[in-house]
Amino acid sequence: MSTQAPTPLTYDQAGVNYDLIDPLKVAAQRAAAATGAHLGVHGFAELAGSRGESAYVVDVGPFLLASIVECLGTKTLVADEMQRLTGRSYFDGIAQDTIAMAVNDLITVGATPLVVQAYWAAGGSDWFADADRAQALVRGWKAACDTCQVAWGGGETPALAGIVEAGRIDLAASCTGLVNPKERLTLGDRLGPGDAIVLLASSGIHANGLSLARKLAERLPQGYLTEIEPGQPGWRYGNALLAPTLLYSPVTEALWRAGVPVHYAANITGHGWRKLLRHPKTLAYRIHTLPPVPPVLRFIQHQAAMDDAEAYGTLNMGAGFALFVPADRAEQAAAVARDCGVPAWVAGQVEAGPKQLHIDPLGVQFNGADLQLR
Amino acid sequence: MSTQAPTPLTYDQAGVNYDLIDPLKVAAQRAAAATGAHLGVHGFAELAGSRGESAYVVDVGPFLLASIVECLGTKTLVADEMQRLTGRSYFDGIAQDTIAMAVNDLITVGATPLVVQAYWAAGGSDWFADADRAQALVRGWKAACDTCQVAWGGGETPALAGIVEAGRIDLAASCTGLVNPKERLTLGDRLGPGDAIVLLASSGIHANGLSLARKLAERLPQGYLTEIEPGQPGWRYGNALLAPTLLYSPVTEALWRAGVPVHYAANITGHGWRKLLRHPKTLAYRIHTLPPVPPVLRFIQHQAAMDDAEAYGTLNMGAGFALFVPADRAEQAAAVARDCGVPAWVAGQVEAGPKQLHIDPLGVQFNGADLQLR
C-alpha cells in the first residue's frame, strides 16, 4: 500500500471533458427525437418516455421492443497493462464487462434481453494473433451470454488500423430484447413516494470510473501491482479493478417470475449514485443503509482523496444497480436477488419533496441539477 | 491524372490480414451458435439459417426479430484528410455510410429496419469540439434515418483516449427490425435455378475497399486531390471516394408494397461480387449484363493495376446490392428500384450447377471456395 499522502484527483483531471461532448449530445438527442414519428409509417410507435432512459422502447403491438448499443470504455487498457505485468489475459472478464454494459442498461426498462451482438474493433489484424487473449474474449463472451440466457447473434471484428490504436481494441455490445408482457415496462410511471429502494451489490468498480482509476495507477509506487489491503497480500489494485461487472438480468427475470412488481430501475454507472436521480419526476430519495464498499473503491477514494460526495457522485461504491419497488415487497426483492447470488439491501425509500438524493449515513446530498442526462 | 505506370496493389498490401482474424471468427461463430438455444427459455427460437447471413433472426411469435451491429471501417480517414485539404466536413455523408452498413445488411433477411442506435467512439472529448464536423455527423445521421424511415433510438458517444487514436472517431451502427409478416423472410429458402439476378447501382466505392483506396492515394502525385476523369476538372479522387453509400431499404420496402417476391438478397460489400455466392446452396450464378462502373472504381482498378477478377472480387464495381427474384418479376423489380431513384438492371440468372459465379461479359469466374464466410 502506498505511503504517499493522498492528493486529490478529479474526473476532469483524468481527461474526460463532458462540456465538449454535451453540446453534441443535445443536438443528437433533438435530432433523434424527431425521427420517432417514422415508426408510424410501419404501424408502430415509440414510447416517448424511454428517450433519456437507458434503452429505447418501441410498441410493436403484442409487446415492446427494446434496443441499445453500449461501449465498454477504457477498462481494456487496465487489462492490457495487467497482461503485460502478469502474462495472463483478463479478456474473459472484459467480455463480461462489455455485455454487462448493454444488458444491465436494457433491463432497466423491464425488457428481457434476447440477442447480443459483438462489436470488437481492433487496432489491426495482429490483435487477433494473440490466441490466448482472443480465446479468452470468446470464452468470456459466451459465458456471459449463458448467464443472461441471451443468444449471441453475431457481430463485427473489424481491423481498424489508423483509427483504433495499435495493440488496442474497442469493445461494445448491442442488445435487443422484449418487454413481454407489456406490463413489465418499468419506465417509472408507477414510481412514487413510499417505494423502497433496493440496492444490488457491485463487484468493484465495474466499467465506470476507469479513467480516474488508471490515472491513479500512474502515481502508485507499484502501479497496478500495489496491494490494496495491507492484511491481504496478493490482492492487487489491477486485479481488483478487473473484477468483472455483475450481470443483473438473472435478478430482474427472477423478480418477474416471483411476481415482484418493479416500479423503476437504474443501472449505477457513470455519475455513481447520482444515477438514483435519473427519473424526471420530482421526488426525493432517502438512503438509510449503505452497502459495504468494495476494497478497491475504498482504496481509490482514499488514494484520490475524494470526499464522500465526490466518491458517491462518481463511483458505484458497492451498489451496481437500483430497484424501486413497493415497500411491502422490498424484503422479498432483496431475497430474490440474494437467491441469484447477488447481495442486496433494502437501502432507502422514495419520498415526496424536491428532487434530491439524501445519503443519510454520510450526510451527503445531491440535487437534480447534479445529474443532467436529458 | 497520374502519368505513372500503374503497379499492382493488393488488399493484403493494404494491411488487412484476414488469416489472423479468421481463426477468431471461427471460434466466435461456434460459441455464438451454441447460445441460440437460450431463446427457448423465453419461449422463442432462432432461425438457424440466419447464422452466416447478414443479420440474425429470431422467431418471437407474431413476427421475426432481426438485429445487427456494423462498423463503418476506415472511410473516416479519407474524410479527415479531405477536411484537412479542403476545409469542409464530409461527416454528413460519413453518417449515411455508417447507417447504410447496418441497414443494407439488415434488409437482406427481409426485415423492415425500425430502430438505429449510434456508436460514435472518439479518440478524445476534443473530437466533439469541431462543431461543424459534429453537426454534420448529426445532420447526416438524421437524414439517413429519414430516408430509411427508421427511428434513431439513441446511442453512445464515448471519448476513448488511449484506445481510439487522437483526432479520430470509430463509427458504428446497430439496427433492429422486424420481418413482418413472416412471409417476408428472405433467407434463401426459395432461391433456385431460374431466378433472376437484379443488381442495384452503387454510388461509388461505398464503405468497402477503403484500405486499398487509401493506400493508393499515397502514391498518387496529388493524392486525394488527383482528378480522376481528365475531361472533368474538379472531380477529385477524395470527393469521389466520399460519395455516400446508397441506402437500399426504400427499395426493399417498395418491393414489398408492390408485391414483388424476393427469394434472396445480398449486400455487396467486402469481397465485392463474390458476395453473390453468399448463399450456402449449390447454385451457379450467371451474369449477362454489367452495370456501368463508377469512375472512381474504374480509376482504382486502373491505378492499382487490378485485373477484372481482382476488381470484381474486391470492389462493388457499380453494383451495391443484389436481389434474387422470380424471372417473370425481374423487370418489375428493377422498375420499382428505379422509381425509388436507384438505377437497377436485370443482370443475370441463377442456374443449376456447381457453386460458381460466371461474369460472362468479362470471362471472369469465381468458385464457392473464393468466399468463406461461415
Side-chain angles (χ1 to χ4, degrees):
Chain A
M1 189 160 180
S2 168
T3 52
Q4 272 185 290
T7 52
L9 183 65
T10 68
Y11 215 75
D12 279 355
Q13 284 173 279
V16 178
N17 185 341
Y18 283 106
D19 288 344
L20 292 177
I21 300 179
D22 283 349
L24 171 76
K25 271 201 172 178
V26 170
Q29 284 167 358
R30 202 165 291 162
T35 63
H38 291 314
L39 294 167
V41 175
H42 311 292
F44 304 133
E46 74 171 13
L47 271 65
S50 70
R51 292 210 175 265
E53 294 295 332
S54 296
Y56 182 64
V57 186
V58 175
D59 188 339
V60 293
F63 31 58
L64 310 174
L65 178 65
S67 61
I68 194 165
V69 68
E70 282 293 323
C71 177
L72 170 63
T74 59
K75 194 166 180 175
T76 53
L77 297 177
V78 181
D80 290 346
E81 184 62 10
M82 281 297 286
Q83 178 165 6
R84 195 183 66 77
L85 293 168
T86 69
R88 67 150 289 206
S89 174
Y90 295 84
F91 271 76
D92 47 351
I94 287 290
Q96 177 172 328
D97 284 309
T98 310
I99 290 185
M101 295 299 277
V103 162
N104 291 348
D105 264 7
L106 193 89
I107 60 174
T108 62
V109 298
T112 301
L114 294 179
V115 179
V116 161
Q117 304 278 355
Y119 183 76
W120 303 347
S125 323
D126 56 338
W127 196 94
F128 303 105
D130 179 340
D132 280 353
R133 184 174 58 182
Q135 295 300 337
L137 180 58
V138 170
R139 188 172 61 244
W141 200 274
K142 161 96 168 39
C145 289
D146 291 343
T147 299
C148 298
Q149 297 188 304
V150 299
W152 177 1
E156 277 270 275
T157 55
L160 297 182
I163 295 175
V164 174
E165 295 209 7
R168 304 297 185 189
I169 194 162
D170 178 18
L171 295 177
S174 73
C175 188
T176 303
L178 297 180
V179 180
N180 179 30
K182 289 182 180 181
E183 304 89 82
R184 281 191 65 175
L185 185 70
T186 53
L187 288 181
D189 295 344
R190 288 169 293 173
L191 178 69
D195 284 346
I197 303 169
V198 175
L199 296 177
L200 307 186
S202 73
S203 62
I205 197 170
H206 283 184
N208 288 92
L210 270 300
S211 297
L212 176 76
R214 291 187 296 112
K215 198 83 185 168
L216 184 59
E218 292 172 13
R219 67 184 204 193
L220 295 174
Q222 290 182 268
Y224 288 118
L225 298 183
T226 304
E227 292 182 357
I228 59 171
E229 293 253 62
Q232 293 188 29
W235 189 232
R236 300 184 189 279
Y237 183 53
N239 296 92
L241 286 176
L242 289 168
T245 308
L246 294 189
L247 297 158
Y248 298 113
S249 70
V251 176
T252 50
E253 290 303 301
L255 288 170
W256 170 252
R257 286 194 302 271
V260 177
V262 176
H263 287 178
Y264 189 60
N267 187 17
I268 301 178
T269 55
H271 305 92
W273 284 39
R274 287 182 283 167
K275 279 279 166 73
L276 295 174
L277 291 161
R278 175 156 207 144
H279 198 272
K281 282 183 182 173
T282 301
L283 289 169
Y285 306 86
R286 187 169 303 277
I287 301 294
H288 53 67
T289 300
L290 295 178
V293 180
V296 68
L297 298 181
R298 180 77 69 201
F299 177 82
I300 291 171
Q301 179 179 9
H302 175 74
Q303 290 291 328
M306 300 164 86
D307 62 24
D308 286 334
E310 210 177 334
Y312 280 78
T314 307
L315 303 168
N316 71 60
M317 298 308 278
F321 199 86
L323 296 161
F324 302 78
V325 300
D328 60 356
R329 308 300 292 274
E331 286 298 347
Q332 185 190 1
V336 166
R338 286 180 214 120
D339 284 348
C340 296
V342 177
W345 302 269
V346 181
Q349 68 268 348
V350 183
E351 300 176 349
K355 191 169 183 176
Q356 283 182 323
L357 169 65
H358 306 269
I359 309 179
D360 284 348
L362 302 172
V364 165
Q365 292 178 25
F366 294 105
N367 297 313
D370 293 329
L371 182 73
Q372 300 287 358
L373 296 175
R374 294 170 198 250
Chain B
M1 187 158 183
S2 167
T3 52
Q4 273 185 290
T7 51
L9 183 64
T10 70
Y11 215 74
D12 279 355
Q13 285 173 279
V16 178
N17 185 342
Y18 284 107
D19 289 343
L20 293 178
I21 302 178
D22 283 350
L24 172 76
K25 272 200 171 178
V26 170
Q29 284 168 358
R30 204 165 292 162
T35 63
H38 290 315
L39 294 166
V41 175
H42 311 291
F44 304 133
E46 74 171 14
L47 271 65
S50 70
R51 293 212 174 264
E53 294 295 331
S54 296
Y56 182 64
V57 186
V58 175
D59 188 339
V60 293
F63 31 58
L64 310 175
L65 179 65
S67 63
I68 194 166
V69 67
E70 283 291 323
C71 177
L72 171 64
T74 58
K75 193 166 180 173
T76 53
L77 297 177
V78 180
D80 290 344
E81 184 61 11
M82 283 296 286
Q83 178 165 6
R84 195 184 65 79
L85 293 168
T86 69
R88 66 150 288 205
S89 174
Y90 295 84
F91 270 76
D92 47 351
I94 287 291
Q96 178 172 327
D97 285 308
T98 309
I99 290 185
M101 294 299 277
V103 162
N104 291 348
D105 264 7
L106 193 89
I107 60 174
T108 62
V109 298
T112 300
L114 293 180
V115 178
V116 162
Q117 304 278 357
Y119 183 76
W120 302 348
S125 321
D126 57 338
W127 195 93
F128 303 105
D130 178 340
D132 280 354
R133 183 174 59 181
Q135 294 299 336
L137 180 58
V138 170
R139 189 172 61 244
W141 200 273
K142 162 95 167 40
C145 289
D146 291 344
T147 299
C148 298
Q149 297 187 306
V150 299
W152 176 0
E156 277 271 276
T157 55
L160 297 182
I163 294 176
V164 174
E165 297 210 8
R168 305 296 187 189
I169 194 162
D170 178 18
L171 296 177
S174 72
C175 187
T176 304
L178 297 180
V179 181
N180 179 30
K182 289 182 180 180
E183 305 89 82
R184 280 191 66 174
L185 184 70
T186 54
L187 288 182
D189 295 343
R190 289 169 293 174
L191 178 69
D195 283 347
I197 303 169
V198 176
L199 295 177
L200 307 186
S202 74
S203 62
I205 196 169
H206 284 185
N208 288 94
L210 270 300
S211 296
L212 177 76
R214 290 187 296 112
K215 197 84 184 167
L216 184 60
E218 292 173 13
R219 67 185 206 193
L220 294 173
Q222 291 182 271
Y224 288 118
L225 298 182
T226 305
E227 292 182 357
I228 60 170
E229 294 252 61
Q232 293 190 29
W235 188 232
R236 300 184 190 277
Y237 182 54
N239 296 91
L241 286 176
L242 289 168
T245 308
L246 295 189
L247 297 158
Y248 298 114
S249 70
V251 176
T252 50
E253 290 303 301
L255 287 170
W256 169 253
R257 286 193 301 271
V260 177
V262 176
H263 286 177
Y264 191 58
N267 188 18
I268 301 179
T269 55
H271 305 92
W273 284 37
R274 288 182 282 167
K275 279 280 167 73
L276 295 174
L277 291 161
R278 175 156 207 143
H279 198 273
K281 281 184 182 172
T282 302
L283 290 168
Y285 306 86
R286 188 170 300 279
I287 301 294
H288 53 67
T289 300
L290 295 177
V293 179
V296 68
L297 298 181
R298 179 78 70 202
F299 178 81
I300 291 171
Q301 178 180 9
H302 176 73
Q303 291 290 329
M306 300 164 86
D307 62 22
D308 286 334
E310 210 177 335
Y312 281 78
T314 308
L315 303 167
N316 72 59
M317 299 307 279
F321 199 86
L323 296 161
F324 301 78
V325 300
D328 61 354
R329 309 298 293 275
E331 287 298 348
Q332 186 191 1
V336 166
R338 285 180 214 119
D339 285 348
C340 295
V342 177
W345 302 268
V346 181
Q349 69 268 348
V350 183
E351 299 177 349
K355 191 169 183 177
Q356 284 181 322
L357 169 65
H358 307 269
I359 309 179
D360 284 349
L362 302 172
V364 165
Q365 292 178 25
F366 294 105
N367 297 313
D370 294 330
L371 182 73
Q372 300 288 359
L373 295 176
R374 293 171 198 248

